[in-house]
Amino acid sequence: MQLLNHQNRQKTYLIRYKKTSDMYQEKSILLSLLMILIFRACTSTDSITPTRPLEDGDVLVSSGESFALGFFSPRNSSNRYVGIWYNKVSEQTVVWVANRDRPITNSTGILSLDESGNLVLRESGQPFVFWSTNVTGVVGDGVSAQLLDSGNLVLSQGQNKEVYPWQSFDYPSNTILPGLKFGINKKTGFNRVATSWKASGNPGIGEYSFKMEIAGSPQMFLYKDTTPIWRAGSWTGHGWSGVPEMTQNYLFNVTYTDNNDEVSLVYLIRNSSIFSRLVVNESGEAQRLTWHEADRRWIGFWSAPKDLCDGYNHCGPFGLCDPYKSGTFECDCLPGYEPRSPQDWYLRDASGGCKRKVGTDVCKEGEGFVELARVKVPDTSTARVNMSLGTEACEGLCLRDCRCMAYAVADIRGGGRGCVTWYRDMIDTRTYSDGGQSFFIRVDAEELAKYSTKKQKRSPKRLFVTIGMPVILAGFIISVCICCYIRKKKANRRKREIGFGFSGSLKSMEGSFMDKDIGENVDLHVFDLSTIVAATNHFSPSNKLGEGGFGSVYKGKLLNGQEIAVKRLSQSSGQGMHEFTNEVTLIAKLQHRNLVRLLGYCFHKNEKMLIYEYLPNKGLDSFIFDQEKGSLLDWKKRFLIIRGIVRGLLYLHQDSRLRIIHRDLKASNVLLDADLNPKISDFGMAKIFGGDQDQAITRRVVGTYGYMSPEYAMEGLFSVKSDVYSFGILVLEIISGRKNNSYYLENSVNLIGHVWDLWKQDKALTVVDSSLGDAYDAREVLLCIHVGILCVQESATDRPTMTDVAFMLSNRETKLPTPNQPAYIFRQLNYGTDSTTASASGGVGSVYDTTITVVHAR
Ligand SMILES: *[C@@H]1O[C@H](CO)[C@@H](O)[C@H](O)[C@H]1NC(C)=O
Ligand SMILES: *[C@@H]1O[C@H](CO)[C@@H](O)[C@H](O)[C@H]1NC(C)=O
Ligand SMILES: *[C@@H]1O[C@H](CO)[C@@H](O)[C@H](O)[C@H]1NC(C)=O
């Protein structure tokens, strides 16, 4: 290749010489010139010198042959331009153009070094300058223009090859090549700007430009004329905050400099045989392309803007653009703000932006910051930066200044360093599914409370005001209420004389079941969708543990080796992100050794997932309804399991501050840990699905036939007593090893009927699971059957509470009341269809019979 070029060049000179030389002296002069030319051609085909200009048809090739410089015509055009292109790339790819807006229309162009040391482009023999470099003081010998292998055309003088009086890299066209220092010189204000071509066949200066701005905190902008259309954001240490992809860097070595002299960014390619370029193209996009030799074409590597939210100021001042939001409109207001024009907003026009909510006022006691995770922070042009502050100091700085609206860490590497604070319109904020950084918005106490389930930052001084006071007050009120409640209950009990006979010991008994460690500081993890996808191997069917009415359950393994169970909620839950996270955070606070632990959740578009601890032993149903595994559970174990379930339920009903009614207690929702301790799962699902637990009547019936109390199944009435009913069924199932709704005998429709018949005949022990043989304590079993029957009585008021149940089971001498007729709801319900979907059991909330949801027409 190099040889070929040399030969071409020699021919050109030969022909030119012929035209002007004296025919007689031709031979000798030709010979001597040839010698000189061959010498020169061999040493400096990459340079223009005062004695050796570049004519149309000549080509300079850089020493490593990566780039070439010469005259070219764009596609579909006969205009001649001086430009630099890739020498080894088969597709004409021009990366720099000299005379962008002044094409030469014939082929007499000549690029030469004049006496002032400047490169000048003229038509041969004409005075008009089509293009020139504009440097002063580079006169004299030894001046040359050299095309470097990086694609940079440089003017250099004499021996000093390091400092270039002029270089094409300072005047990029539409392309930013690796090694090009892009940015601004703070001392001189000189800025390097990349501008698009006018059109694909016209390298003239187009309307789109890409440049760095240093107001506030330095940022990169893409402009259409003078209007910003995309903001790459400010530098976060890893990359531009608006280019989350920039964090992974195996291809590039990026150097960002921000000092007293300059702000600049240089991309270097780690592998010099890869050709990569960043182009501002004619359709107004920044585009990184890499050359694929095998396909002989440029392939898009990255581009921006990507989505609506990338559009500069898409949601107006104080707006927040979230492309992953469910619903149709991607715009939201920042926490504490509301649409300036609700009507326009409703019509999907967010350009008016948002304003501070009416009635809110910052710089009052109790205010704090709401954290938005994974965002591109607002335009920093008007922000202030202090690189010497840490995160805490930054928060303090913002809190002390009433005008400060928000803050963020400037450099997110390590623990974070530097402080950016905003005082004016916060423009162009958006969220990412991955990447971005945390952004802290100042809100008043009321707004703060709304986001209180999220991780927040508060100053310790004000912590007491924001949390302390209300908690103390609430605590006081709650304790007063509890006292009243217990007294009233005692009084009632005495009056009713139901005869459980434990009024005196009620208090101590409740205490013994009380779980003290109600976690205030729940460590609830928000998982990324990508993490869950990786952990479950793309929700691979082989990882599926079960499927229920609330969704499917998958087994997963995190990178750190921890095993998890992922409950992928069916999409019917109508909750938005805030309600969902609220409920999940509340439920995560329910911590008890007989409840399955919720580790975290994942929310992404329509995907809602709950992440639980993984229990290898699966559901109780897989033991008690299985001949073989059933024998693993002797009576002692079964009795322990029953008592464990009682403790878990008691905690849900009584001891937790939430008062959760499970509404879907069944064998498959009781999981066993490695030591066969029972753990209740799927609690709080009604809350997560938007059901109101405080309401006595619900329109949606959630539950499983066979476990549903009659009043709940028939009328949608639920209370703790509906759970008691389900518990009763469960106890009878544990004892008998039979499912309630798959138990048929001549005279009895189901297990309850069967047990009730035997109970009346004093033959109740005959229901005991045959796999237990005779190895059981008959008194204990009878006690449990008695309690079980009490729990399934037709009338909810007849049924004991879980507190009563706990007491009965731990005080065997107590005389239990005589049970009334149990409920036979199965006779009235057509349940023939519900138990057909028996599926693999195991994992969280595995089901052998499907949980159902019925909407009552009331
Ligand atoms: C060259 O530079 C001088 C001063 O630096 C300026 O006045 C002049 O307009 C420039 N000429 C061109 C063609 O850029
Ligand atoms: C550089 O890239 C070329 C072509 O893609 C490849 O063949 C070569 O192995 C790479 N070299 C290094 C050091 O990665
Ligand atoms: C500009 O870049 C975008 C993004 O890669 C691409 O879709 C578009 O076709 C490009 N336009 C031109 C004129 O090359």
Side-chain angles (χ1 to χ4, degrees):
M1 194 72 183
Q2 182 119 31
L3 256 175
L4 202 81
N5 268 303
H6 293 182
Q7 282 161 6
N8 284 344
R9 290 181 55 78
Q10 287 153 23
K11 267 184 210 153
T12 331
Y13 280 85
L14 267 169
I15 294 158
R16 234 184 280 151
Y17 167 77
K18 271 180 186 165
K19 282 182 195 161
T20 54
S21 65
D22 185 340
M23 289 296 278
Y24 289 108
Q25 296 175 339
E26 186 182 323
K27 261 193 179 165
S28 62
I29 296 177
L30 189 78
L31 264 174
S32 56
L33 252 174
L34 243 178
M35 296 303 290
I36 296 166
L37 284 174
I38 287 172
F39 178 69
R40 280 194 177 165
C42 286
T43 54
S44 56
T45 50
D46 62 350
S47 297
I48 296 170
T49 62
T51 54
R52 195 152 39 86
L54 181 87
E55 293 185 10
D56 197 339
D58 297 344
V59 173
L60 295 188
V61 176
S62 64
S63 59
E65 297 181 20
S66 295
F67 289 93
L69 180 144
F71 287 80
F72 75 96
S73 291
R75 240 171 294 142
N76 307 326
S77 164
S78 57
N79 288 338
R80 302 298 284 168
Y81 297 89
V82 168
I84 298 173
W85 58 86
Y86 284 95
N87 187 42
K88 287 182 187 166
V89 166
S90 48
E91 183 183 320
Q92 184 197 62
T93 311
V94 175
V95 297
W96 182 78
V97 182
N99 52 327
R100 295 185 69 175
D101 283 314
R102 287 188 191 154
I104 295 176
T105 47
N106 55 45
S107 55
T108 64
I110 180 164
L111 181 65
S112 56
L113 274 169
D114 70 3
E115 315 77 52
S116 69
N118 277 305
L119 275 171
V120 181
L121 178 64
R122 290 194 177 90
E123 284 177 359
S124 180
Q126 302 292 318
F128 183 78
V129 174
F130 284 83
W131 175 83
S132 82
T133 60
N134 193 11
V135 288
T136 46
V138 204
V139 269
D141 291 329
V143 176
S144 68
Q146 188 185 10
L147 179 63
L148 303 182
D149 207 40
S150 57
N152 192 6
L153 176 66
V154 299
L155 269 187
S156 58
Q157 186 178 25
Q159 305 302 73
N160 193 349
K161 296 276 181 194
E162 298 306 311
V163 178
Y164 307 124
W166 181 92
Q167 56 178 332
S168 64
F169 269 13
D170 281 342
Y171 304 90
S173 296
N174 67 346
T175 304
I176 299 173
L177 286 174
L180 189 154
K181 182 192 270 188
F182 199 71
I184 197 160
N185 183 325
K186 284 184 180 171
K187 294 245 159 89
T188 62
F190 176 77
N191 200 355
R192 300 161 186 92
V193 183
T195 41
S196 69
W197 285 21
K198 278 205 165 84
S200 70
N202 181 354
I205 293 175
E207 52 187 349
Y208 299 101
S209 57
F210 191 47
K211 67 175 165 193
M212 186 150 341
E213 301 285 4
I214 54 166
S217 173
Q219 302 180 97
M220 295 274 256
F221 277 96
L222 183 64
Y223 289 93
K224 178 176 188 178
D225 296 323
T226 55
T227 313
I229 54 172
W230 175 65
R231 185 175 62 96
S234 53
W235 191 257
T236 64
H238 290 303
W240 299 113
S241 69
V243 189
E245 303 89 343
M246 239 169 120
T247 47
Q248 311 124 12
N249 248 307
Y250 42 90
L251 198 54
F252 305 106
N253 186 0
V254 185
T255 314
Y256 176 76
T257 311
D258 184 359
N259 57 27
N260 288 335
D261 299 330
E262 63 178 28
V263 185
S264 67
L265 186 77
V266 180
Y267 264 92
L268 285 173
I269 300 268
R270 293 187 195 277
N271 183 341
S272 62
S273 58
I274 294 174
F275 294 132
S276 165
R277 62 198 172 107
L278 182 68
V279 178
V280 181
N281 76 21
E282 303 87 71
S283 26
E285 290 183 63
Q287 183 182 27
R288 180 168 287 285
L289 300 151
T290 49
W291 177 252
H292 282 230
E293 185 56 41
D295 302 345
R296 308 204 139 239
R297 66 190 181 99
W298 290 98
I299 292 188
F301 182 82
W302 168 86
S303 75
K306 277 190 169 39
D307 55 22
L308 284 175
C309 287
D310 268 347
Y312 183 74
N313 199 13
H314 181 70
C315 293
F318 304 109
L320 174 66
C321 199
D322 179 4
Y324 315 104
K325 209 174 114 182
S326 49
T328 50
F329 194 33
E330 62 282 357
C331 288
D332 243 337
C333 289
L334 290 172
Y337 294 81
E338 61 192 2
R340 194 170 284 279
S341 163
Q343 187 182 330
D344 292 348
W345 201 271
Y346 181 75
L347 295 172
R348 307 276 180 265
D349 172 11
S351 57
C354 305
K355 61 178 187 352
R356 206 176 267 291
K357 276 185 186 161
V358 176
T360 64
D361 198 2
V362 287
C363 251
K364 267 201 205 146
E365 281 299 281
E367 66 182 341
F369 294 93
V370 169
E371 175 179 355
L372 293 181
R374 296 186 298 277
V375 302
K376 166 171 155 187
V377 297
D379 195 333
T380 52
S381 311
T382 58
R384 284 186 210 160
V385 187
N386 183 340
M387 286 311 288
S388 61
L389 291 182
T391 314
E392 242 131 73
C394 187
E395 182 184 315
L397 173 84
C398 191
L399 208 54
R400 278 194 303 276
D401 185 342
C402 288
R403 294 164 306 144
C404 179
M405 296 171 153
Y407 77 94
V409 165
D411 187 332
I412 60 175
R413 284 175 301 183
R417 190 176 67 90
C419 177
V420 190
T421 43
W422 282 263
Y423 302 85
R424 306 236 303 267
D425 283 2
M426 295 192 280
I427 287 172
D428 199 36
T429 319
R430 66 160 295 171
T431 57
Y432 292 111
S433 61
D434 223 343
Q437 67 183 104
S438 286
F439 178 55
F440 301 89
I441 299 151
R442 183 189 210 126
V443 294
D444 69 358
E446 199 178 320
E447 195 70 20
L448 194 60
K450 279 192 210 158
Y451 289 87
S452 62
T453 56
K454 294 186 155 191
K455 190 184 147 221
Q456 286 158 18
K457 300 272 174 178
R458 286 188 203 88
S459 74
K461 233 191 305 175
R462 299 184 187 213
L463 193 66
F464 181 75
V465 183
T466 17
I467 291 188
M469 284 296 278
V471 165
I472 289 172
L473 261 176
F476 179 72
I477 292 167
I478 288 171
S479 39
V480 167
C481 289
I482 288 176
C483 283
C484 293
Y485 175 75
I486 289 175
R487 269 191 202 174
K488 191 160 164 247
K489 210 168 167 189
K490 277 185 193 172
N492 278 349
R493 287 250 160 71
R494 285 197 200 98
K495 239 191 291 170
R496 274 177 19 220
E497 286 191 301
I498 287 179
F500 290 158
F502 55 78
S503 56
S505 57
L506 177 74
K507 212 168 185 173
S508 63
M509 201 270 322
E510 277 191 345
S512 72
F513 279 96
M514 198 86 74
D515 200 289
K516 303 290 191 298
D517 62 344
I518 301 165
E520 172 61 45
N521 300 315
V522 215
D523 190 15
L524 190 61
H525 196 82
V526 183
F527 291 85
D528 272 344
L529 184 60
S530 55
T531 310
I532 301 302
V533 166
T536 58
N537 191 17
H538 296 266
F539 298 106
S540 133
S542 63
N543 281 335
K544 195 161 176 172
L545 296 170
E547 176 134 24
F550 295 121
S552 311
V553 185
Y554 295 84
K555 182 184 171 178
K557 194 169 188 176
L558 297 177
L559 280 180
N560 65 11
Q562 187 185 5
E563 291 190 310
I564 53 171
V566 178
K567 181 157 211 128
R568 196 176 184 185
L569 300 184
S570 55
Q571 315 212 333
S572 56
S573 149
Q575 278 193 335
M577 166 125 178
H578 288 318
E579 295 126 292
F580 175 73
T581 49
N582 253 331
E583 294 302 352
V584 171
T585 315
L586 282 176
I587 282 154
K589 287 185 179 153
L590 301 176
Q591 294 198 17
H592 188 277
R593 64 184 167 282
N594 294 113
L595 299 182
V596 173
R597 208 157 84 81
L598 182 62
L599 303 175
Y601 64 90
C602 169
F603 188 101
H604 183 88
K605 291 189 189 172
N606 291 327
E607 285 285 358
K608 290 173 198 155
M609 283 174 261
L610 300 174
I611 320 301
Y612 291 96
E613 63 178 326
Y614 174 75
L615 297 171
N617 264 335
K618 304 187 175 175
L620 183 57
D621 56 322
S622 67
F623 285 84
I624 56 174
F625 302 140
D626 186 287
Q627 283 289 325
E628 244 174 72
K629 282 171 90 182
S631 56
L632 291 175
L633 298 181
D634 59 13
W635 171 248
K636 247 178 142 175
K637 267 259 154 319
R638 292 189 194 208
F639 192 47
L640 283 175
I641 288 171
I642 291 173
R643 297 182 52 162
I645 298 169
V646 172
R647 277 193 298 270
L649 267 185
L650 187 61
Y651 174 78
L652 288 178
H653 285 180
Q654 194 86 40
D655 300 339
S656 79
R657 286 161 303 168
L658 279 179
R659 296 196 165 258
I660 294 279
I661 298 171
H662 191 297
R663 297 215 267 187
D664 197 17
L665 184 68
K666 55 186 172 184
S668 57
N669 274 341
V670 175
L671 309 186
L672 298 181
D673 71 6
D675 302 325
L676 300 177
N677 294 312
K679 284 174 183 270
I680 299 173
S681 80
D682 259 7
F683 49 92
M685 292 308 286
K687 258 182 129 39
I688 287 173
F689 271 74
D692 189 347
Q693 297 267 346
D694 300 314
Q695 225 175 297
I697 295 175
T698 181
R699 284 170 166 272
R700 294 171 83 233
V701 171
V702 178
T704 304
Y705 285 125
Y707 291 92
M708 262 195 267
S709 65
E711 74 277 8
Y712 183 31
M714 305 304 290
E715 294 158 76
L717 277 169
F718 71 88
S719 65
V720 286
K721 295 293 183 72
S722 349
D723 275 357
V724 169
Y725 181 93
S726 309
F727 168 77
I729 301 286
L730 191 51
V731 169
L732 297 178
E733 288 182 336
I734 292 171
I735 294 170
S736 65
R738 303 287 190 132
K739 288 182 195 178
N740 183 33
N741 56 0
S742 64
Y743 196 91
Y744 303 99
L745 286 170
E746 314 87 76
N747 298 325
S748 322
V749 279
N750 57 23
L751 179 62
I752 301 185
H754 183 55
V755 174
W756 178 241
D757 287 345
L758 293 170
W759 174 264
K760 281 190 297 187
Q761 300 164 34
D762 270 339
K763 291 195 287 190
L765 282 178
T766 52
V767 302
V768 174
D769 191 344
S770 56
S771 69
L772 291 179
D774 290 332
Y776 56 84
D777 179 335
R779 276 175 55 220
E780 265 175 12
V781 173
L782 277 175
L783 173 70
C784 288
I785 294 177
H786 195 157
V787 169
I789 293 176
L790 285 174
C791 290
V792 297
Q793 292 174 97
E794 180 112 45
S795 158
T797 46
D798 287 350
R799 293 175 214 147
T801 62
M802 286 319 289
T803 319
D804 301 334
V805 169
F807 183 83
M808 294 184 247
L809 292 182
S810 48
N811 294 275
R812 293 181 202 175
E813 309 313 319
T814 317
K815 189 178 176 330
L816 300 186
T818 313
N820 293 323
Q821 169 86 20
Y824 281 75
I825 67 159
F826 319 95
R827 282 178 180 156
Q828 294 144 8
L829 275 175
N830 177 8
Y831 67 100
T833 52
D834 68 87
S835 59
T836 50
T837 47
S839 67
S841 57
V844 178
S846 62
V847 273
Y848 62 82
D849 37 11
T850 315
T851 300
I852 52 145
T853 303
V854 180
V855 178
H856 269 263
R858 315 183 119 253

